[in-house]
Structures are given as C-alpha cells and as structure tokens.
Amino acid sequence: MHSNHLLLEEPIRMASILEPSKASFFPAMTKIVGTLGPRSRSVDVISGCLKAGMSVARFDFSWGNCEYHQETLENLKAAVKSTKKLCAHQGNDTGLLNSFFYIQVMLDTVGAEMQVVNKSEKAISLQQDDVVILTPNENQEASSQLLPINFAGLAKAVKAGDTIFVGQYLFTGSETTSVWLEVDKIEGNDVICKIKNSATLAGALFTLHASQIHIDLPTLTDKDKENISAWGVPNKIDFLSLSYTRHAQDVREAREFLSKHGDLSQTQIFAKIENIEGLTHFDEILKEADGIILSRGNLGIDLPPEKVFLFQKTALYKCNMAGKPAVVTRVVDSMTDNLRPTRAEATDVANAVLDGSDAILLGAETLRGLYPVETISIVGKICAEAEKVFNQDLYFKKTVKYVGEPMSHLESIASSAVRAAIKVKASVIICFTSSGRAARLIAKYRPTMPVISVVIPRLRTNQLRWSFSGAFEARQSLIVRGLFPMLADPRHPAESTSATNESVLKVALDHGKTSGVIKSHDRVVVCQKVGDASVVKIIELED
C-alpha cells in the first residue's frame, strides 16, 4: 500500500481532483471523536459510526446521569463486538497477537459551566431590544423577562457593557436558538441585560457564557468528582476531558484526584481550552496535560473573529512540537440538521488537518444530529484527502529543527525510522513498544504511512495482585494521528528474545496482509529493541 501522497506545490491536473478516492483499510490517519447521545446511542447507529471511522467515544456529562451513559456504553461494547471493526480478535493459532483495534472512552466533565435552568421546558421567546433579568434563584420560573441561573456570583463578575451569551448549544451565527445579551446594570445578585437579537430558547438547560470574564467556579466540580467515581472508575476511562481548563494547576489537581483511584492512575487528561484564561496560560497547561482539546465554540465567542484562525494554528503547532495530541472541535455544525457540510465547513476540516490536528471532535453533530454516521464518514473522507497534500517534508524538517541537537536516543530512532520509511516508500512502520512512547514519537514526525504500534505487555503488581499493562497504552494510541495499536499476548515477556520478536512481527505482517494494509513486494520499516540496542530495519515482503 504505497502512499498516494501529493504536494499542493507540485503541478496537479485539475481533472485528477474528480477521480474517486481509493478505498483503504485506514480511511484516514486523522482520528474522529464521536459524542454519543440521543441520536447515536443505539447498537445499530453506534455500529455505523464505528464502521464510518469513529475511534474515540465521548460521553458528555453536562447532561444525562450515570445510568443513562452506562446504557450507552453497554451498547457501545455490543457494537464493537458485533462489528469487529475496532477490536478484531486475532484468531491466529500462535496467539502472539490477541487484539488489533479498540475503542477509547472519554469522559467530558461539566467544569466551570454556567447554566440557565428552565424547569418547565417551555419555549422562551426573547425579542431584540427587550430587557431580561438573570437571577441566581433557580426555583423561579424561566420566562421572557427572567432567566434563573446556577451561579450566584455572576453579579460580582460582570459590569455594565459586558457581553453574555445564552443558548442550548453554542452559537454558530446562523441559528435563532441562541441569544446575545449586553449587561445594562447590576441590582443586588441580579444582572439586568438588554437583548441584542431575537431568539427562542427551547429545552431544560442552556449554556451561559460571559465573554472574557473570570468566573469563580472550580474546574473539577463536586459533581464531576461524583461522576468520575461512580462511572469513570468502574469503566476504567481512557481519557478525562477537563472542561474549562484555565491553569496548569487545574490539570495537576485533576491528576491528583485520579491518582487516588487506582484504576484511573493511567487515565490521560486532555485540557479543554475554552476561554481567554486558558489561552493566556496555554504553554504551562500544555506541559502538564497529556493532550489538548481546542474548544472553538466558546473560544469563538471570546476571541475576535479575525484571531480565531491564528489561535488554532499557533496552538496546533505547539502541540505538534511537544508531541502531544491536539483535538479540534466545532467543524461541521450545519450537519446537525443537514446531510452535507457547507463549503466553509469542508474547507475548515481540511485546514485543521493541514494545520496538524490529531483528531476531529464531533459534538452536537453526532449527539443530537440527524445524520451521525454520514457526518463521521464525510469528515473522514475530507481528512483523508487533506492528508494527501500535507507537506510532510517541510513538517519533518521543521520538527527536527525544533527538537535540536543533540537529540535524545529515542527521538533519534523515531525520526530515523520515519526518514527511512519515506525514502523507501514503505507501506507501514511497525514499532514494538511497552509504554507506547516510542510509537507516539514516530507519529510525531507525521509519516505519510500508518504506524502500527505493537504493544508488548509488562507484568506488574501493586503488592495485592499481579496484572499486565498494555491495554491502556494500546487504546490511548487511537487518538494520535496515524497511530494504530496491536496488543501482543501477555504470555510473551516484555524482555522478548529475538525469536519471540520475529514471531510477533510475522503475525503482525500476516494480519496486515489479510486486512489489505500490506501487499506482496511492499517494504515495511520495523523499529524494535534487541537487547540494549534500538534497531530500525527495512523488510521487503515476498509473495
């Protein structure tokens, strides 16, 4: 499977753009995070999402209780089992590889989110130039004149002239279900606002966002901690999406909380950057977090429109150079109700890929959207096309320059493996790893071919019981661009002999051939440890 890699700088026949894309076992190197909800929680729909390319399932705890999300998770497990798309059991009688793909679970916290409470769930009509009062008394009935909120400190945080946004879903600029308010005056704990646009609010809860205002609410709330303990721990979540991350200390506190729950000590924390505070402290947050989610919905409200693209490009560059996964949100909002994205949205997805995003996160598009499966499929196809014109040569040189000299041993091996794979036009890179770090470093250099990470389990103990590592490391690879995991059988030791490594490699190659990833006469680059030495070798397959 030689890479069909182009460069926009090279001459391209315009007619070639119309040629249909060739089907591939890996539809795209860029990963897709799908949010499961009312429109996407049945086994059939989830199966369709998996087949379309979803590799991470996000559970949004800003709505729904643990029982509701547990039902959805059980449906996800059934869908994974039935499709065998993301967790194909390896039936080879050697038993050296027992898993090929997995599905990752991400718990998204509520965080410092302010909400308008509408207990009656009756539609609320707001008219431009009218006045509405925001009050912290949640027991009052929501109406066109009064909106109860869940935060008593708003009156102390805002001042006359400040902008407040209210909507069931984040503002896209095209719908009439979101309203902009301008603070007129403060009366006690009430905030009196002038309505800037006509809108109809429908539902039980609405997000309230005060633009560029510090809100004195904890990043990890008591409710978040309850959800993690009651749902996250028994389900051994792979990722915690930490909403409204504003400081590096937020990540440290979340990690300390997770460390107290033994099964979540390996859970990775992805910091969601949603406001100016998070943007201001981005560098320190990046050092602490395992990955970054660019929550462009809230940021699109806080930032001037002409600065949104600059934040995205800068943040993605910083994540890429740090070798940490970056996830972009809010790309195809219109597909919540439509079968086809707008021209601007299609271009936006492609630009996210060209800017260096590891994954695209779909929120409302799959949670409540009418076409969750089609949305995932279309986004995946756009990503795959954009990857063909990604300037890997320029990116590689830029990354090597950023890393500088002398390189670390592992960094040198990773960059050499990628350079060799590109020079010989390899179909795949196969990397043997225990922690997953070596494979992630290879993926950091954005090779044009897939990186198959063969995770070798390690035996470990907490003095009470013995267990094997590896499953977490394998699953967590699925949010990294271009990285696809395989888990070796734990009966084979981490300190593998040369014979064992060759046996595992043979099974990996055979599986690659069966799935169509590798063909006869293809070249494969293998990165593995032999004794104390790290080796990069090139294999040319026979018939």
Side-chain angles (χ1 to χ4, degrees), residues 39 72 105 120 123 164 181 191 257 266 281 340-341 344 393 418 484-485 493:
R39 291 277 186 174
T72 306
V105 173
S120 70
I164 292 176
L181 308 174
V191 179
F257 179 78
Q266 289 181 278
H281 302 104
R340 184 182 173 95
D393 183 59
V418 174
F484 301 90

Side-chain angles (χ1 to χ4, degrees), residues 154-193:
L154 184 63
K156 295 179 181 178
V158 299
K159 62 184 184 303
D162 284 343
T163 299
I164 292 176
F165 158 83
V166 177
Q168 188 174 18
Y169 307 102
L170 289 175
F171 188 70
T172 64
S174 60
E175 79 277 28
T176 58
T177 58
S178 307
V179 64
W180 291 92
L181 308 174
E182 182 180 304
V183 177
D184 183 45
K185 57 183 176 179
I186 310 296
E187 292 184 356
N189 288 328
D190 293 343
V191 179
I192 318 299
C193 299

